[in-house]
Amino acid sequence: MASKFLQFYGYDLLLGSIAAFYVLMVPYTKVEESFNIQAMHDILYHRHHLDNYDHLEFPGVVPRTFIGALLVSILASPMVLAMQLLHLPKIYSLIIVRLALGCIILYTLRFLRTQVRNKFGQQVEAFFVILTAIQFHLLFYCTRALPNILAMGVVNLAYGHWLKGRFYTALNYLVFATITFRCDIVLLLCTLGLELLLTKSISFWKALKCCIMISLLCIGLTILVDSIMWKRFLWPEFEVFWFNSVLNRSSEWGTHSIHWYFTSALPRSLLAAYPLFMLGVLLDRRLLTLVLPVLSFVVLYSKLPHKELRFIISSVPIFNLSAAVAASRIYNNRKKSFWKFLNLIMLGLLLISLGGTIITFMASYENYPSGYALKELHQIGHLAHNTNELWVHIDPFSAMNGISLFCEDKFPWRYSKEEGIKLEEFGQRNFTYLINEHSAVDGYKCLFKVNGFSRVRIQPGFPPIFLDKESRVYIHGNIRNEELMFKHWPGCS
């Protein structure tokens, strides 16, 4: 019975265990995830009291849809309710919602993997899992509430139906992902749709009819849900498209060279699969029609000056498939002289990938300093003889680097994210604690600091690779609070 269970779900347990390990070790979130994370918190804790929702006070640069947050919250709600009944800290609820999201994304990856097995065989499926497991970014990000990850779940379903030969269904999923979660998926929709037309796999008029129908349904759904949640008539992804593509304002968040995805993002995310996926296209002609639309998607996306790895993370599963086919072919021919050499190179690449993933994880562990700062403050910041509220001011830097509503604790803790306060004005305010990026603030004493990841440094000796850290977040206490001043603190020296 146990062997049969492992046969059916062994790969899921492997990938799920790695993703869960990342969640438990690094539960905190960053600014890119903030909308969906805060939305999940508000859905689970404020429910129908929309006036208390965080997005109405801090709407962000562009609006996002609530559909993904609602789906994850519904799945996580029984466990979160149990957490509330047990009066556990809200950080446990954050872990639950992230695990729920991971289950959704890994389920879609399972669907894709099943189609890989049916089309290419069990051995290719095994290498597909191995390559995914030793890569860092896919499993680390699959539990992070980014719009790109929500879109990737839908894109995985599209890939699965594409492999299955259900081309119109695949296009419908891409339309849904485009209209609801990430408007940039339209590039993948266009490249895949064009290939299917050129290969006469679909009829233009039938495809147009299906896409128009599903588009109208998706637009209606997102406008209905999000207009209620945002309290104004709204199609979020249209506003995102207008901001990023028409106004071209995404470049305000930084730019990279046109080749960055191919010289930095893809090598880091694919690791050993990067050279293998290119070899796979040469070894199996079936892969060209699968890889070409996805590769074209990345090429087209390279035109946008602002680039981030998460923007193209939906391409990783198809590249992994191509790499898995190459790895399987090399393994099967490993007893032949030339292939034996390739097999040794492949094993070396897999080991290097594993080492790279470990180093990247260690860096990521240190990349959420304000989350660790607030956790430590909760542990040591109670004042025994104080019955008043303990007000903590969180500056924008700290709010973007590890602190979310799920990190907040119950009475006597209270929190402020008020923006626009000048540094010299804090002395006139009555905050008990400050969490910010400044080492000194007038009227406050630095109580302790938290270091964060700075850079990877190669050095002679052992270990050859060292992670440099530097002071990122400082916790200050109000000098007018006598009990706070008499407490023993770690200090900032």
Side-chain angles (χ1 to χ4, degrees):
M1 192 74 176
S3 61
K4 201 168 187 179
F5 178 83
L6 287 174
Q7 183 182 348
F8 280 103
Y9 300 107
Y11 292 147
D12 301 296
L13 286 174
L14 173 63
L15 299 179
S17 297
I18 296 170
F21 171 78
Y22 290 147
V23 172
L24 296 173
M25 294 302 294
V26 192
Y28 304 109
T29 57
K30 285 225 172 194
V31 61
E32 297 87 355
E33 309 159 63
S34 62
F35 170 75
N36 280 308
I37 286 294
Q38 312 292 48
M40 291 173 195
H41 170 277
D42 292 340
I43 292 166
L44 291 165
Y45 284 90
H46 297 312
R47 300 182 180 91
H48 62 284
H49 302 291
L50 296 184
D51 291 335
N52 296 329
Y53 276 43
D54 181 82
H55 72 284
L56 297 177
E57 184 179 359
F58 302 100
V61 179
V62 288
R64 290 293 182 186
T65 182
F66 269 83
I67 291 173
L70 282 165
L71 176 62
V72 176
S73 299
I74 290 168
L75 185 62
S77 58
M79 285 296 293
V80 172
L81 179 60
M83 298 289 177
Q84 291 177 271
L85 294 174
L86 293 170
H87 301 289
L88 294 173
K90 287 196 288 187
I91 189 66
Y92 291 103
S93 297
L94 175 59
I95 291 171
I96 293 301
V97 297
R98 286 191 55 201
L99 289 174
L101 173 60
C103 287
I104 294 171
I105 301 303
L106 290 179
Y107 171 78
T108 66
L109 194 64
R110 173 187 168 81
F111 175 75
L112 170 59
R113 200 186 73 235
T114 301
Q115 310 316 315
V116 168
R117 181 179 67 233
N118 293 339
K119 192 174 184 70
F120 294 95
Q122 292 184 348
Q123 189 167 286
V124 171
E125 179 194 16
F127 275 108
F128 180 85
V129 171
I130 291 168
L131 291 167
T132 303
I134 63 173
Q135 292 167 349
F136 174 75
H137 292 91
L138 188 77
L139 294 181
F140 184 77
Y141 277 100
C142 77
T143 63
R144 298 199 164 272
L146 297 160
N148 313 82
I149 296 303
L150 295 167
M152 185 179 74
V154 182
V155 172
N156 284 342
L157 296 176
Y159 287 152
H161 286 287
W162 182 21
L163 289 175
K164 211 173 180 179
R166 301 180 64 180
F167 304 123
Y168 295 106
T169 305
L171 293 177
N172 286 341
Y173 274 114
L174 291 178
V175 169
F176 175 66
T178 299
I179 289 172
T180 309
F181 295 124
R182 285 293 304 190
C183 59
D184 45 33
I185 299 296
V186 70
L187 297 176
L188 182 59
L189 173 65
C190 290
T191 55
L192 177 58
L194 181 61
E195 181 191 90
L196 293 176
L197 284 171
L198 292 175
T199 56
K200 298 183 179 180
S201 300
I202 58 173
S203 158
F204 174 78
W205 293 111
K206 185 177 180 181
L208 184 64
K209 181 180 176 182
C210 288
C211 288
I212 289 175
M213 287 179 62
I214 196 70
S215 296
L216 293 174
L217 286 172
C218 293
I219 292 170
L221 175 65
T222 187
I223 288 176
L224 175 65
V225 171
D226 295 308
S227 296
I228 293 171
M229 302 306 288
W230 284 91
K231 295 189 171 183
R232 65 183 176 93
F233 186 78
L234 179 67
W235 174 10
E237 277 310 298
F238 180 78
E239 294 199 11
V240 174
F241 170 77
W242 190 265
F243 182 89
N244 287 337
S245 301
V246 178
L247 301 180
N248 196 26
R249 290 186 58 190
S250 64
S251 57
E252 295 173 12
W253 277 260
T255 61
H256 288 94
S257 57
I258 195 167
H259 56 75
W260 185 81
Y261 284 133
F262 294 98
T263 56
S264 179
L266 284 174
R268 284 186 290 119
S269 58
L270 294 175
L271 299 173
Y274 192 51
L276 286 174
F277 102 78
M278 293 183 279
L279 180 61
V281 175
L282 298 175
L283 294 176
D284 192 326
R285 283 182 294 179
R286 293 176 297 175
L287 292 171
L288 184 61
T289 55
L290 296 174
V291 169
L292 192 58
V294 181
L295 196 61
S296 302
F297 160 69
V298 180
V299 170
L300 290 173
Y301 217 142
S302 297
K303 293 283 188 180
L304 195 69
H306 178 57
K307 296 177 176 66
E308 293 187 41
L309 190 155
R310 59 190 173 96
F311 293 167
I312 60 160
I313 199 166
S314 295
S315 66
V316 170
I318 289 298
F319 292 146
N320 279 349
L321 166 58
S322 180
V325 172
S328 177
R329 184 73 64 87
I330 292 170
Y331 180 79
N332 287 338
N333 293 280
R334 66 190 183 279
K335 293 183 180 179
K336 300 174 185 177
S337 57
F338 176 71
W339 292 92
K340 186 177 182 180
F341 175 67
L342 285 181
N343 190 54
L344 287 173
I345 292 176
M346 183 179 74
L347 291 175
L349 288 173
L350 294 177
L351 288 173
I352 292 171
S353 295
L354 184 59
T357 292
I358 292 170
I359 293 168
T360 311
F361 165 71
M362 291 169 63
S364 297
Y365 180 81
E366 304 288 351
N367 215 16
Y368 300 81
S370 51
Y372 298 116
L374 185 58
K375 178 184 178 181
E376 189 170 351
L377 180 61
H378 286 154
Q379 291 172 345
I380 65 177
H382 283 280
L383 302 179
H385 304 293
N386 183 49
T387 57
N388 298 325
E389 295 174 330
L390 300 175
W391 275 95
V392 182
H393 182 269
I394 301 165
D395 76 338
F397 176 85
S398 300
M400 293 190 293
N401 288 279
I403 294 178
S404 69
L405 294 174
F406 282 106
C407 298
E408 297 178 357
D409 215 340
K410 56 189 176 183
F411 184 86
W413 297 99
R414 293 292 182 266
Y415 308 87
S416 169
K417 292 189 292 183
E418 183 181 347
E419 298 179 2
I421 304 176
K422 295 180 180 178
L423 205 58
E424 58 270 17
E425 293 178 3
F426 278 105
Q428 304 164 20
R429 307 296 288 267
N430 202 31
F431 295 117
T432 315
Y433 298 105
L434 308 178
I435 300 180
N436 60 35
E437 59 180 320
H438 304 288
S439 59
V441 181
D442 290 342
Y444 290 81
K445 176 186 176 183
C446 188
L447 306 176
F448 63 96
K449 64 181 180 178
V450 176
N451 295 330
F453 172 71
S454 174
R455 65 191 179 96
V456 175
R457 177 162 52 88
I458 298 174
Q459 60 180 15
F462 185 83
I465 296 175
F466 186 80
L467 301 182
D468 278 339
K469 293 186 284 185
E470 61 183 33
S471 301
R472 293 290 192 189
V473 176
Y474 299 87
I475 293 78
H476 306 273
N478 195 320
I479 60 175
R480 289 175 290 176
N481 190 313
E482 294 183 7
E483 185 183 353
L484 189 154
M485 288 296 105
F486 280 117
K487 275 179 68 76
H488 176 71
W489 297 95
C492 295
S493 57

